[in-house]
Amino acid sequence: MILLVTGGAGFIGGKIARLAAARGFEVRVLDSLRDDVHRVEPAAIDGVELVRGDIRDPGTLDRALRHVDAVCHQAAKVGLGVALSDAPDYASTNVTGTAELVAAMGRSGAGRLVLASSMVVYGEGAYRDAAGRRRRPAARETRDLDAGRFEPRDPETGEALEPDLIDEDDGLDPRNVYALTKLAQEHLAATWARATGGTAAMLRYHNVYGPGMPRDTPYAGVAALFRSAIERGEAPRVFEDGRQRRDFVHVTDVAGANLAAIDWLPAQASGTVRPFNIGSGTVTTVGEVAEGLARVMRGPTPIVTGEYRLGDVRHITASPGRARAELGWRAAVSLEDGLREFAIDR
């Protein structure tokens, strides 16, 4: 098995490359080593070939895909992409890059693809109303956010909604530039599978954290931002009221999900494309993560600011039941253990 990991020098891609090499795969990494992501040169991975180049370059892709059986596509510009000025770079990196990748896979004959997608394709999470009916609320209005009214309301009655777990068959409603590009990647993967008879697993990651997470960059996740603040002796600043529900999943578990998907693909029918939620299955609030890091790092108590970011959703947690049933995968690292390890990562 020859595996290509795009973005394989990055946070998640590097973990996948190491795990696959330890499993006995022949691993090749394609990474552009963008300065805004890689502030320092990443360490080489024993036994793993690095092809340095841009995923948008057909020649680089043809070289990287030589004799490859399967591709783990992790290369992407991440973050919210709230400003419209971000849109060209997100579209070029994520959409054009994926289009070039699947075109090159068509030329090379590589027939298996695992795509790093994201929970953001769902938009706001799933809810139930007072009668137990499933609801998907509209985007929150600025006037409500300014007034500290953060919870979505039933669009018909105005009553509070109860957050629920979303699953892969729920509708998709991307609400920022990054989310739009992740959905475009899914559509490109599906188009490639139909055209070539390949098979694809689309892994919709939830909030991934763990050692090696980007820090002090525009792409640092909320856990990394909290940790950096505590290291500076500052109280982590928690937006809204801190009760936003998320699912924090450790990067080691996410790497394992990718390997499980690679194992799953050969048994699938030609043209199969299947999305999977990749999360711990445990609902955690953003405030709880800030408090947990402050506790293990013996740092200042978090400050709940009431601030907000347009484009953020209130609650998004999903059922990982399909990944458990079909991939045989489940998260193993508890949040308590993961935060303790994350807190001491330098």
Side-chain angles (χ1 to χ4, degrees):
M1 160 72 79
I2 302 177
L3 173 68
L4 174 67
V5 184
T6 71
F11 169 47
I12 298 173
K15 296 293 189 301
I16 295 168
R18 287 179 174 84
L19 184 60
R23 279 266 307 268
F25 291 7
E26 183 177 335
V27 181
R28 187 176 302 150
V29 159
L30 170 61
D31 204 298
S32 65
L33 302 180
R34 283 177 59 144
D35 291 339
D36 56 352
V37 177
H38 299 277
R39 295 290 176 86
V40 297
E41 190 84 7
I45 303 172
D46 288 344
V48 172
E49 176 189 358
L50 171 63
V51 177
R52 182 168 184 170
D54 196 310
I55 196 168
R56 293 166 291 192
D57 177 58
T60 298
L61 283 165
D62 288 342
R63 187 168 74 254
L65 281 163
R66 192 165 181 265
H67 304 310
V68 161
D69 301 297
V71 176
C72 246
H73 182 32
Q74 309 296 311
K77 180 180 170 80
V78 300
L80 278 180
V82 173
L84 283 178
S85 59
D86 290 333
D89 194 18
Y90 276 91
S92 177
T93 304
N94 297 358
V95 182
T96 301
T98 302
E100 291 287 2
L101 173 65
V102 297
M105 290 177 68
R107 294 191 297 271
S108 75
R112 289 172 249 167
L113 173 64
V114 178
L115 171 69
S117 187
S118 172
M119 66 177 187
V120 297
V121 299
Y122 293 115
E124 189 63 70
Y127 294 79
R128 292 191 183 276
D129 64 15
R133 296 173 297 179
R134 295 267 285 186
R135 295 289 192 195
R136 295 293 297 282
R140 297 178 293 172
E141 296 186 9
T142 302
R143 62 184 179 184
D144 287 331
L145 297 170
D146 286 339
R149 295 188 293 267
F150 301 121
E151 295 292 344
R153 299 276 169 176
D154 188 313
E156 295 178 5
T157 67
E159 295 179 352
L161 294 167
E162 181 69 24
D164 198 6
L165 297 180
I166 204 162
D167 64 38
E168 293 88 348
D169 294 326
D170 280 309
L172 306 180
D173 183 19
R175 295 186 178 186
N176 55 56
V177 170
Y178 172 60
L180 285 164
T181 66
K182 297 311 284 186
L183 183 55
Q185 287 183 317
E186 290 197 7
H187 286 309
L188 284 164
T191 299
W192 163 81
R194 284 193 296 269
T196 66
T199 54
M202 301 181 295
L203 306 187
R204 293 173 180 166
Y205 299 160
H206 283 252
N207 291 75
V208 186
Y209 74 102
M213 190 176 191
R215 54 190 300 147
D216 306 322
T217 81
Y219 314 112
V222 66
L225 296 175
F226 291 158
R227 182 183 61 184
S228 293
I230 295 168
E231 288 174 342
R232 295 191 301 267
E234 301 170 5
R237 297 175 62 82
V238 180
F239 280 15
E240 300 189 17
D241 58 4
R243 295 175 185 159
Q244 307 95 301
R245 291 161 55 109
R246 298 291 188 269
D247 184 328
F248 288 83
V249 58
H250 196 274
V251 65
T252 300
D253 286 325
V254 172
N258 277 268
L259 274 263
I262 291 168
D263 291 341
W264 175 83
L265 285 171
Q268 307 313 305
S270 173
T272 295
V273 179
R274 190 82 162 146
F276 296 93
N277 290 326
I278 302 300
S280 69
T282 300
V283 174
T284 306
T285 68
V286 173
E288 286 170 342
V289 170
E291 291 166 1
L293 280 171
R295 184 170 56 253
V296 299
M297 296 177 70
R298 297 193 173 106
T301 301
I303 297 171
V304 177
T305 68
E307 298 171 272
Y308 63 87
R309 295 188 305 185
L310 285 175
D312 274 356
V313 298
R314 177 61 174 173
H315 303 300
I316 176 68
T317 53
S319 168
R322 178 181 291 179
R324 291 173 181 168
E326 298 183 21
L327 302 183
W329 171 88
R330 67 174 61 235
V333 180
S334 70
L335 184 64
E336 181 180 359
D337 290 342
L339 289 181
R340 188 179 299 110
E341 178 193 27
F342 181 61
I344 62 174
D345 176 52
R346 295 293 183 269

